[in-house]
């Protein structure tokens, strides 16, 4: 997308008029009549609007770096190849185009690849001294081919969310400021006609998979389509000049684009132009070679032409050589960036997958997808793509961790299950424990009345010393099951949902957690709703349950179908997150205006942590289709949302937050926040790793996203749940990442090409008036979305590079491909290391036993560990002590002591609950000093033995050994 006029006409003449600089002519600004000026102004305006209004997921600095590096490269190559200064207006335009049309994950150095390709192509891919391919088109297309999804196209939905008014703005700007000045009316007019007919043909062919109007209008009204049509293909330097040539070029573009659709390509615009431009370049050189071989250009005319061609070849050889040299340097630098990060070192242990027959964790597929409202059958697999949850906790008080699972798409008897740990001698064996009320979710009638269970939490909500169960309501009411078991008696539960004040609630949640936000000694309840709990347009409001939508009141009544997200990067029609205050065992909903939780985002995961160390539990909520939220606890009065100044700051992302896990990965005493995210074609976003550091404002620490440079991007994966824990007990927290969206395991249709993105990606270019309605979505039955992807095990490199990661999943045997969701790390066999449980969406859970150690490997054999359970005893500290911060002082490397930090919390990731107070001690020997900063109480110190599990009870205030404000930073050592 650039206007690259013949520089010999626009720039050579004025160059000779200026005084020489270093023996070369002086660059002169092109005259105002040059049509590139209004085009440059249009692109600049697009950029300004994108950063200030439309929420582009890049920063002004990134655009400045893109344009600045391209302009500098243009000047340097012009000096080296043509021996003249050039005013880089063309490079400015090309690189503005790249900044607007491309996405790249988090890191600025990724942008230099398309800049190099665009500007370099003008000096390497030439014919008789002139470039043949449009530079920005070449930069976009080849970057998409080479970067392996680290670079992809900017999602069209970011152009004002698909608003047709922005399309009109693009069109009018093109017509009034640029189009009529370049004489390409035949090209644009014929291309619009040909492409509209081609789109109608594709819409008719695909009418059984996607509404025709969705595909047609999503294609021909998107701003990128008009940018391509009015700006990119109309480049006077690379497009045909005659009306006949323009019509033929438009026809060929359309036909090649149609051919590319046979391969389900979603980048057909760019690839079609690249194919035709490359074909033209090869044909020109082949024709010249053929004429030379035949001697057809003999005589005086041939001599003159040969001399000119020889001069061009003389200058042209230097250009390709310089560009090739730069390319070799960049290729070396990008090798590590594009290839998956692998560890050169043995992680020191492996994991062994435990079969279903051995573990007892049973599952079988169900027919839930067939039981949704018939009007949603075509999109049911998308709507029900989340809910595989896992939680661990000692339910029967025998000292062994049990497992609770939710599997919404499984057979009725497996949708909600509690398994008691009955392993002996290190074996992992679990036995099913009956639960009350869960059978109501098994029948079609029960689904219509109560919805599904999308998540589970193991929590001592009433502080009586045993673990209860909270079941998330997904399109229905939650359930609170009180543990009535007594020592020596069989385990039993009572449904106390109504008595606890939650009986009349309707949730659409997969993420609920308990915390003592007001430090009164009672556990309060936070519910993150993904979708709106009630449908709009009904009086009274109708609860949203995909198994029982309201019947149409009249012909054309579509109110029941208007619940899909109203944007792909800033959706604000999700559910309202709810805070319930615990008043003596009964929960009361806190009004949103009072709690500060007023945003209606698509909340998928929540993490509790004291991010600023002020003694009050804060919240981080990961959102799909829009920005995450960090809520700082204002001393129990309300939560305050933190939003940075621009994209790249906390609260300003435009991503698809799937998971939230906390852990001090770099050892600075502050827990960092890991947020899983999508990194695939059309969404080159990737995970976030917020590194938390103190700032000048003690209430607001600095949060810097460093996922890419630390090896935690999780590139080329559709990410879901993740868990942070020390897998090899070397004292540095690691990450286990689950991946894979949906397959066709439950609804095979026999399609040769199953990719749903191809069917539905035009929906992403439509406005909210289209994609908010479920009936406008494509049919996902039999389709897949990045299915069965390998997991990742990101091993913290520790002492050599604290907080930097290498993927060792293949070496550990954890890379089994599946469509996974929740991940829990917990010491299930009691041997001192963390085992792994992964909940899957389309099959039963995977269980991995850890501890098959390689003798002599670092951080493995002989590595110490410590497991803690906290018991609060004071009035303002709950018995479970959730929110208390633990600091373990150890010498894991055998040298100076270092602080290992964690907090007592419930959820440890998307739909998962692991074991947060497990510490690897590495080579530490001797007693271990432990500081507990009790929530609602004072800080106290304990001395315990390593390689053991300890219960730490809160002492009376008179026995306090530490000041309550004692810092947990390494500097205190």
């Amino acid at each position: 997308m650039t206007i690259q006029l013949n520089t010999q006409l626009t720039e050579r003449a004025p160059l000779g008029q200026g005084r020489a600089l270093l023996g070369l002519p002086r660059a002169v600004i092109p005259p105002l009549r040059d049509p590139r000026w209004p085009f440059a102004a249009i692109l600049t305006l697009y950029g300004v609007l994108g950063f200030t209004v439309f929420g582009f997921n890049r920063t002004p600095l990134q655009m400045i770096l893109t344009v600045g590096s391209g302009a500098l490269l243009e000047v340097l190559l012009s000096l080296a190849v043509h021996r003249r200064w050039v005013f880089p207006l063309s490079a400015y335009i090309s690189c503005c185009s790249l900044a607007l049309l491309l996405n790249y994950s988090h890191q600025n150095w990724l942008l230099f690849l398309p800049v190099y390709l665009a500007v370099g192509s003008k000096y390497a891919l030439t014919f008789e001294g002139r470039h043949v391919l449009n530079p920005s088109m070449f930069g976009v297309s080849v970057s998409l081919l080479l970067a392996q999804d680290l670079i992809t196209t900017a999602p069209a939905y970011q152009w004002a969310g698909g608003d047709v008014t922005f399309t009109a703005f693009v069109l009018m700007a093109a017509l009034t400021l640029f189009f009529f000045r370049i004489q390409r009316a035949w090209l644009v007019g014929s291309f619009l006609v040909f492409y509209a007919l081609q789109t109608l043909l594709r819409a008719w062919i695909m009418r059984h998979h996607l509404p025709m109007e969705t595909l047609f209008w999503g294609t021909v009204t998107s701003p990128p389509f008009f940018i391509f049509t009015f700006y990119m293909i109309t480049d006077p330097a690379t497009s045909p000049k005659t009306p006949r040539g323009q019509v033929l070029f438009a026809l060929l573009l359309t036909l090649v684009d149609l051919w590319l659709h046979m391969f389900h390509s979603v980048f057909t615009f760019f690839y079609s132009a690249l194919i035709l431009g490359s074909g033209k370049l090869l044909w020109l050189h082949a024709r010249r070679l053929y004429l030379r071989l035949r001697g057809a250009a003999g005589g005086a005319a041939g001599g003159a032409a040969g001399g000119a061609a020889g001069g061009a070849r003389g200058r042209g050889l230097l250009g390709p050589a310089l560009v090739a040299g730069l390319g070799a340097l960049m290729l070396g630098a990008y090798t590590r960036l594009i290839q998956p990060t692998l560890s050169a070192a043995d992680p020191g242990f492996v994991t062994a997958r435990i079969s279903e027959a051995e573990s007892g964790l049973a599952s079988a597929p169900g027919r839930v997808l067939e039981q949704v409202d018939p009007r949603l059958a075509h999109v049911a697999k998308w709507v029900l793509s989340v809910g595989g949850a896992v939680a661990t906790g000692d339910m029967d008080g025998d000292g062994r961790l049990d497992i609770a699972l939710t599997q919404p798409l499984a057979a009725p008897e497996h949708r909600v299950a509690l398994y008691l740990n009955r392993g002996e001698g290190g074996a992992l064996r679990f036995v099913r424990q009956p639960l009350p009320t869960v059978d109501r979710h098994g029948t079609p009638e029960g689904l219509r009345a109560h919805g599904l269970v999308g998540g589970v939490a193991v929590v001592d909500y009433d502080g009586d010393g045993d673990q209860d169960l909270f079941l998330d309501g997904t399109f229905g009411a939650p359930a609170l099951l009180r543990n009535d078991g007594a020592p020596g008696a069989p385990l039993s539960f009572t449904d106390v949902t109504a008595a606890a004040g939650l009986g009349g609630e309707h949730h659409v949640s997969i993420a609920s957690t308990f915390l003592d936000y007001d430090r009164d000694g009672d556990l309060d309840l936070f519910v993150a709703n993904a979708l709106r709990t009630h449908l709009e347009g009904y009086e009274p409001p109708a609860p949203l349950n995909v198994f029982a939508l309201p019947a149409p009141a009249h012909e054309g009544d579509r109110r029941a179908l208007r619940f899909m997200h109203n944007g792909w990067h800033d959706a604000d029609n999700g559910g309202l997150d709810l805070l319930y205050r615990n008043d003596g065992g009964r929960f009361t909903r806190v009004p949103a205006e009072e709690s500060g939780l007023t945003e209606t985002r698509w909340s998928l995961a929540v993490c509790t942590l004291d991010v600023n160390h002020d003694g009050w539990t804060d919240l981080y909520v990961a959102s799909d289709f829009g920005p995450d939220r960090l809520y700082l606890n204002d001393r129990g009065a309300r939560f305050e949302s933190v939003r940075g100044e621009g994209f790249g700051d906390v609260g300003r992302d435009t991503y698809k937050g799937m998971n939230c896990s906390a852990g001090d990965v770099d050892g600075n005493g502050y827990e960092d926040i890991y947020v899983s995210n999508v990194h695939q074609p059309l969404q080159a976003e990737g995970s976030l790793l917020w590194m938390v550091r103190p700032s000048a404002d003690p209430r607001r620490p600095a949060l810097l996203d460093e996922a890419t440079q630390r090896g935690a991007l999780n590139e080329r994966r559709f990410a879901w749940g993740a868990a942070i824990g020390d897998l090899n007990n070397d004292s540095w927290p690691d990450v286990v990442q689950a991946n894979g969206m949906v397959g066709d395991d439950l609804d095979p249709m026999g399609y040769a090409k199953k990719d749903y993105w191809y069917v539905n990606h035009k929906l992403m270019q439509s406005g909210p008036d289209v994609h908010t309605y479920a009936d406008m979505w494509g049919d996902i039955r039999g389709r897949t979305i990045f299915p069965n992807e390998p997991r990742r095990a990101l091993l913290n490199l520790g002492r050599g590079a604290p907080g930097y990661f290498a993927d060792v999943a293949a070496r550990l045997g954890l890379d089994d491909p599946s469509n996974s969701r929740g991940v829990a790390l917990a010491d299930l066999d009691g041997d001192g290391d963390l085992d792994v449980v992964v909940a899957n969406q389309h099959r039963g859970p995977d269980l991995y036993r850890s501890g098959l150690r390689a003798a002599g490997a670092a951080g493995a054999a002989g590595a110490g560990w410590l497991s803690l359970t906290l018991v609060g005893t004071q009035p303002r500290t709950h018995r479970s002590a959730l929110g208390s911060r633990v600091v373990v002082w150890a010498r894991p490397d055998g040298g100076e002591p270092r602080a290992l930090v964690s907090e007592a919390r419930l959820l440890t990731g998307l739909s998962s609950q692991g074991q947060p107070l497990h510490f690897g001690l590495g080579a530490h020997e001797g007693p271990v000093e432990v500081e507990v900063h009790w929530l609602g109480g004072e800080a106290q110190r304990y001395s315990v033995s390593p390689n053991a599990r300890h219960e730490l009870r809160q002492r009376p205030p008179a026995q306090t050994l530490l000041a309550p404000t004692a810092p947990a930073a390494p500097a205190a050592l």
Side-chain angles (χ1 to χ4, degrees):
M1 179 175 59
T2 183
I3 301 305
Q4 188 62 44
L5 297 177
N6 187 345
T7 56
Q8 293 179 346
L9 297 177
T10 61
E11 294 175 347
R12 174 172 292 181
L15 285 173
Q17 299 172 6
R19 61 181 179 85
L21 179 63
L22 300 179
L24 298 172
R26 177 167 58 92
V28 175
I29 298 176
L32 292 178
R33 65 178 180 275
D34 192 319
R36 291 175 297 172
W37 281 115
F39 187 33
I42 292 172
L43 292 178
T44 303
L45 180 59
Y46 290 165
V48 172
L49 291 174
F51 301 134
T52 58
V53 178
F54 302 137
F56 284 4
N57 59 348
R58 62 202 70 96
T59 67
L61 175 62
Q62 288 172 327
M63 186 167 184
I64 291 171
L65 289 175
T66 302
V67 173
S69 61
L72 178 62
L73 182 60
E74 173 91 273
V75 171
L76 295 178
L77 286 176
S78 179
L79 280 173
V81 176
H82 298 306
R83 300 292 296 164
R84 59 189 174 127
W85 293 97
V86 62
F87 185 82
L89 180 58
S90 294
Y92 178 89
I93 293 172
S94 296
C95 294
C96 279
S97 306
L98 298 176
L100 297 175
L101 287 176
L102 290 178
N103 263 9
Y104 34 85
S105 301
H106 309 292
Q107 276 303 303
N108 294 338
W109 33 252
L110 285 170
L111 57 86
F112 296 123
L113 175 62
V115 168
Y116 156 79
L117 291 170
V119 178
S121 68
K122 294 171 56 179
Y123 296 87
L125 304 177
T126 62
F127 179 75
E128 295 184 350
R130 300 179 182 178
H131 65 280
V132 177
L133 287 85
N134 179 274
S136 55
M137 178 277 297
F138 184 82
V140 168
S141 304
V142 180
S143 294
L144 295 174
L145 291 170
L146 295 181
Q148 300 185 22
D149 301 330
L150 286 179
I151 299 175
T152 187
T153 56
Y157 53 76
Q158 288 197 1
W159 297 89
D163 192 338
V164 71
T165 59
F166 188 71
T167 297
F169 169 73
V170 173
L171 177 61
M172 293 306 299
L175 292 175
T176 58
L177 298 178
F178 169 68
F179 173 67
F180 292 118
R181 305 177 64 178
I182 59 171
Q183 299 179 349
R184 293 298 185 270
W186 284 100
L187 173 58
V188 171
S190 56
F191 181 70
L192 287 174
V193 172
F194 292 149
Y195 208 83
L197 294 174
Q198 183 240 64
T199 304
L200 282 173
L201 174 63
R202 288 193 295 113
W204 183 83
I205 294 173
M206 297 180 64
R207 67 191 184 280
H208 300 299
H209 306 286
L210 184 70
M212 289 184 62
E213 57 269 37
T214 299
L215 188 149
F216 182 80
W217 292 113
T219 300
V220 301
T221 64
S222 66
F225 173 77
F226 284 104
I227 290 175
F228 178 84
T229 302
F230 283 92
Y231 298 135
M232 182 175 282
I233 65 174
T234 56
D235 178 356
T238 59
S239 61
K241 297 176 175 55
T242 65
R244 179 181 178 183
Q246 292 175 29
V247 173
L248 179 60
F249 181 57
L251 178 62
L252 291 175
L253 266 177
T254 306
L255 293 176
V256 173
D257 184 282
L258 180 62
W259 174 70
L260 290 171
H261 279 289
M262 296 177 62
F263 302 95
H264 283 195
S265 171
V266 295
F267 300 133
T268 53
F269 287 163
F270 307 113
Y271 293 159
S272 178
L274 177 65
I275 290 171
L276 291 181
S278 301
K280 177 181 178 182
L281 178 67
L282 293 175
W283 180 78
L284 289 173
H285 282 282
R287 184 184 66 172
R288 185 171 65 179
L289 178 62
Y290 173 74
L291 292 176
R292 284 182 188 155
L293 293 176
R294 291 192 57 186
R313 286 197 305 275
R315 294 191 306 270
L317 290 177
L318 180 59
L322 285 174
V323 174
L326 288 173
L329 292 174
M330 185 166 290
L331 180 62
Y334 272 68
T335 299
R336 285 182 57 84
L337 306 180
I338 294 178
Q339 298 301 323
T341 304
L342 300 176
S343 174
D346 190 331
F349 71 106
V350 295
T351 58
R353 183 174 176 180
I354 309 300
S355 68
E356 178 182 311
E358 181 180 353
S359 70
L361 301 178
S363 182
R367 304 181 66 178
V368 174
L369 296 178
E370 302 173 14
Q371 296 169 3
V372 302
D373 188 290
R375 290 168 287 176
L376 300 179
H378 66 294
V379 77
K381 192 164 61 176
W382 177 291
V383 176
L384 299 179
S385 61
V386 191
V390 55
T392 63
D394 184 3
M395 300 299 303
D396 53 3
D398 65 353
R400 293 175 291 192
L401 294 177
D402 310 304
I403 296 177
L405 292 166
T406 66
Q407 304 171 88
L409 301 186
E413 64 271 21
H414 297 301
R415 288 176 193 160
V416 185
L418 173 62
Y419 291 91
L420 301 182
N421 191 336
R422 293 293 181 257
E424 297 290 345
L428 289 178
R429 178 69 183 172
F430 296 85
V431 177
R432 182 76 173 266
Q433 167 70 33
L435 291 173
T437 74
V438 298
D439 291 341
R440 69 186 187 186
H441 301 281
T443 66
E445 295 77 15
L447 291 174
R448 288 192 290 271
H450 305 290
L452 287 166
V453 175
V456 58
V458 176
V459 57
D460 180 11
Y461 89 96
D462 52 6
D464 64 353
D466 52 31
Q467 300 297 311
D468 312 299
L469 283 177
F470 179 82
L471 306 179
D472 277 312
T474 307
F475 305 113
L480 182 59
L481 307 182
R482 187 184 64 209
N483 188 339
D484 294 330
L491 189 62
S492 63
F493 294 89
T494 299
D495 186 343
V496 296
T497 308
L502 299 172
E505 298 299 301
H506 186 85
H507 297 162
V508 185
S509 174
I510 59 169
S512 299
T513 193
F514 288 78
L515 70 158
D516 185 3
Y517 85 96
D518 52 3
R519 297 201 329 191
D520 64 352
D522 292 328
L523 289 186
D524 311 299
L525 171 63
F526 175 86
V527 176
N529 283 304
L531 283 73
R532 285 191 184 276
T533 58
H534 292 73
L535 294 165
E536 295 181 324
Y538 293 90
E539 189 58 43
L544 171 58
N545 184 351
V546 297
F547 301 98
L549 293 177
H554 51 78
E555 185 177 356
D557 182 8
R558 300 170 65 209
R559 290 174 296 170
L561 304 175
R562 190 171 182 263
F563 60 85
M564 306 298 276
H565 46 91
N566 63 358
W568 296 78
H569 74 295
D570 194 23
D572 60 1
N573 68 329
L576 181 69
D577 296 335
L578 305 176
L579 181 65
Y580 295 86
R581 184 176 56 248
N582 187 340
D583 296 319
R586 186 172 181 84
F587 293 92
T588 303
R589 189 195 295 187
V590 181
E593 295 74 16
E594 179 181 333
S595 68
L597 307 174
T598 58
E599 296 189 61
T600 52
R601 300 291 181 180
W602 286 62
S603 304
L604 291 189
V606 59
C607 181
T608 59
L609 75 163
D610 183 4
V611 69
N612 53 11
H613 289 188
D614 66 351
W616 297 84
T617 302
D618 308 307
L619 297 169
Y620 188 100
V621 184
S623 304
D624 204 355
F625 310 117
D628 295 345
R629 284 146 291 151
L630 173 62
Y631 291 113
L632 295 182
N633 189 336
D634 187 8
R635 303 182 66 82
R638 60 186 289 110
F639 287 95
E640 177 188 351
S641 181
V642 176
R643 292 174 61 86
E645 296 181 356
F647 178 79
D649 296 333
V650 67
R652 292 286 186 179
D653 67 281
T654 61
Y655 290 156
K656 319 294 175 288
M658 305 292 193
N659 169 84
C660 179
S661 301
D664 182 13
V665 301
D666 60 351
N668 73 339
Y670 285 80
E671 288 194 292
D672 309 298
I673 303 171
Y674 177 76
V675 181
S676 304
N677 187 31
V678 178
H679 189 284
Q680 294 289 3
L682 298 180
Q683 293 176 300
E685 297 173 352
S687 298
L688 300 166
L689 179 57
W690 294 110
M691 306 304 295
V692 181
R693 296 166 185 144
S695 69
D697 182 354
R699 176 166 168 74
R700 294 198 176 191
L703 277 75
L704 303 176
D705 172 33
E706 299 180 0
T708 302
Q709 62 264 46
R710 289 181 178 269
L713 180 66
N714 193 37
E715 65 277 6
R716 293 179 296 282
R717 295 289 192 273
F718 202 109
W720 287 95
I724 293 180
D726 190 351
L727 294 173
N728 56 357
N729 283 342
D730 67 347
S731 78
W732 296 98
D734 313 299
V735 180
V736 176
Q737 173 69 65
N739 297 304
M741 177 51 170
V742 293
D744 64 338
D745 315 64
L746 304 180
D747 58 355
M749 303 279 289
Y751 293 127
K753 292 183 174 63
K754 305 176 183 179
D755 183 15
Y756 185 64
W757 269 153
Y758 173 77
V759 174
N760 214 47
H761 88 279
K762 293 305 179 188
L763 186 77
M764 300 170 68
Q765 297 180 349
S766 304
D769 56 326
V770 173
H771 63 69
T772 302
Y773 289 90
D775 59 342
M776 298 303 293
W777 285 59
D779 193 342
I780 196 174
R781 289 171 291 188
R783 302 286 182 179
T784 63
I785 303 176
F786 305 111
N788 300 315
E789 294 182 330
R791 303 168 189 135
R792 284 200 159 108
L794 305 178
L795 194 71
N796 196 323
L797 300 181
R799 179 175 55 179
Y804 289 80
F805 297 90
D807 183 12
V808 295
R811 293 180 177 179
L812 295 180
L814 283 172
D815 61 336
D816 294 318
S818 186
N819 302 302
S820 304
R821 297 300 183 262
V823 181
L825 302 180
D827 184 6
L828 298 172
D829 54 5
D831 65 351
D833 49 35
L834 296 175
D835 307 299
V836 184
V837 190
V838 182
N840 300 302
Q841 194 68 1
H842 297 160
R843 73 179 196 207
D846 291 327
L847 174 61
Y848 299 86
R849 180 185 177 189
S850 178
L852 304 179
R853 302 179 183 280
W865 57 277
L866 182 67
S867 180
L868 301 176
T869 300
L870 304 184
V871 179
T873 63
Q874 299 306 303
R876 303 191 71 81
T877 302
H878 188 265
R879 180 184 176 91
S880 65
L882 291 180
S884 299
R885 179 160 47 94
V886 177
V887 183
V888 172
W889 301 107
R891 294 176 172 83
D893 303 320
E896 292 299 318
R898 183 163 57 85
L900 314 179
V901 178
S902 186
E903 284 188 24
R905 60 172 55 90
L906 217 59
L907 294 189
T908 55
L910 167 78
S911 299
S912 59
Q913 180 180 342
Q915 186 176 349
L917 298 182
H918 175 94
F919 299 88
L921 301 180
H924 178 87
E925 296 181 354
V928 182
E929 297 297 316
V930 180
E931 295 175 8
V932 180
H933 296 252
W934 296 97
L935 186 76
E938 300 172 320
Q940 297 176 344
R941 177 168 290 177
Y942 304 79
S943 182
V944 299
S945 59
N947 305 320
R949 288 175 293 278
H950 295 276
E951 180 182 277
L952 303 183
R953 299 182 69 85
Q954 188 178 21
R955 302 189 186 100
Q959 299 183 34
T960 298
L961 300 180
L962 292 177
T965 57
L973 291 171

